[in-house]
Amino acid sequence: MAEGSRAEGSRTAPLAFGQVVIGPPGSGKTTYCHAMREFLARLGRSVAVVNLDPANEALARPCALDIGELVTLPDVMAGLGLGPNGGLLYCMEYLEANADWLRERLRALRGHYLLFDCPGQVELYTHHQALKNVLAQLAKWNFRLAAVHLVDSHYCTDPGKFISVLCTSLATMLHVELPHVNVLSKMDLIEQYGKLAFNLDYYTEVLDLSYLVDHLASDPFFRNFRRLNEKLVEVIEDYSLVSFVPLNVQDKQSMRQVMQAVDKANGYSFGDQEHRSLEALMSAAVGADFHFSSTLAVQEKYVQSQDKAVEEEVMDL
């Protein structure tokens, strides 16, 4: 009877929308959550950040809900004698086992657009089941979520690392089983990482990767692994799922582009939560054109910075 009541409650609960922000350590997840919260709040949305990272002890900015109220990584490591990796996995399993706690806390946030700031352990998104099960439970509670997978843009400057990022992104998309938006973060710093072998749209659209394999073959170390790289590239291209949206959290147009991609992924742009102008409808219908324009703008800034660096080198000579 109790189970039937819970199921009925799930069916009658109002829809709630949000983003599950995932990615490796240092990719900018927490920075993204708070920048997106401020950006959406200016558009009139009621936004709340939910911290699901038990290792995030010193939160720079307040969150509406913190997993630290339930479990923290230092307590688990000290109490069970686990290391950081094992401790994080245990924390996520503990959260899964105490899903009722999460549900009760989230009830107070109904009516808010939620940003879930998740841990940076890659295993949680590629093969471990706990966080995936928590997200599946949220779906049963009528939360419509999209995964926002952040990847540091500096990986574009290293072809070998970029192939690794593509494989990780694909594995994450297949495992998490949520509408997915891959994001190249820290685009404002990309000119500091070094020169790109190809134009930026090559990396965001994940175009013909055979060129990347050929570029790798010019390195004596990777030449011995050409066959392996070809097979990895074949897997990525066969699925044809991975692409990226460039992001600079300090650029409003860049934030708007990511917002539109995520709103389309989780279905928010097709609801009645906001007044939708013709421009908003068109951006949802022809998102690829807007995506291309945004990427082109970032590419132009990158090329200009490279040209300026070359000019400065010539002047020095």
Side-chain angles (χ1 to χ4, degrees), residues 14-75:
L15 285 178
F17 293 87
Q19 305 177 22
V20 178
V21 184
I22 61 180
S27 57
K29 296 183 295 298
T30 300
T31 299
Y32 169 87
C33 284
H34 292 288
M36 184 59 73
R37 176 177 65 178
E38 294 177 3
F39 183 80
L40 295 177
R42 290 173 183 170
L43 296 178
R45 296 191 197 180
S46 297
V47 188
V49 175
V50 176
N51 177 46
L52 291 185
D53 185 359
N56 200 353
E57 294 181 86
L59 295 172
R61 298 170 188 172
C63 295
L65 173 58
D66 184 9
I67 192 178
E69 300 172 14
L70 176 69
V71 62
T72 64
L73 181 60
D75 290 343

Side-chain angles (χ1 to χ4, degrees), residues 62-247:
C63 295
L65 173 58
D66 184 9
I67 192 178
E69 300 172 14
L70 176 69
V71 62
T72 64
L73 181 60
D75 290 343
V76 169
M77 292 173 61
L80 300 179
L82 297 173
N85 291 337
L88 268 174
L89 296 180
Y90 177 88
C91 288
M92 291 299 101
E93 291 170 354
Y94 191 79
L95 176 62
E96 179 188 3
N98 291 273
D100 289 341
W101 173 88
L102 180 62
R103 186 178 189 181
E104 288 300 319
R105 296 299 189 278
L106 289 175
R107 278 178 176 166
L109 298 177
R110 282 290 180 177
H112 288 73
Y113 186 97
L114 301 180
L115 301 171
F116 292 89
D117 186 3
C118 296
Q121 192 168 4
V122 176
E123 295 94 318
L124 293 171
Y125 316 119
T126 56
H127 59 272
H128 196 261
Q129 295 293 320
L131 186 58
K132 173 184 176 181
N133 293 339
V134 170
L135 298 178
Q137 195 64 51
L138 287 171
K140 294 179 181 178
W141 300 336
N142 268 358
F143 285 89
R144 298 296 177 259
L145 305 173
V148 180
H149 183 219
L150 298 185
V151 175
D152 197 316
S153 59
H154 86 267
Y155 289 117
C156 295
T157 61
D158 188 320
K161 291 180 179 178
F162 187 65
I163 290 179
S164 175
V165 162
L166 293 174
C167 292
T168 302
S169 299
L170 178 60
T172 300
M173 296 176 76
L174 296 176
H175 180 73
V176 173
E177 296 181 348
L178 283 177
H180 208 93
V181 177
N182 292 304
V183 174
L184 282 177
S185 63
K186 305 181 184 179
M187 289 303 301
D188 53 318
L189 302 177
I190 191 169
E191 65 270 10
Q192 301 178 18
Y193 296 143
K195 188 175 182 180
L196 298 179
F198 307 99
N199 287 339
L200 185 62
D201 60 342
Y202 178 86
Y203 300 93
T204 57
E205 300 298 330
V206 189
L207 303 173
D208 188 352
L209 295 178
S210 62
Y211 293 102
L212 201 63
V213 174
D214 293 337
H215 185 72
L216 269 174
S218 62
D219 187 320
F221 175 79
F222 287 106
R223 191 176 301 139
N224 298 326
F225 301 97
R226 182 185 180 99
R227 186 64 177 163
L228 173 62
N229 289 325
E230 287 177 346
K231 290 301 181 182
L232 291 174
V233 163
E234 283 180 15
V235 171
I236 296 165
E237 292 184 329
D238 285 347
Y239 276 96
S240 190
L241 290 174
V242 184
S243 62
F244 295 92
V245 181
L247 171 65

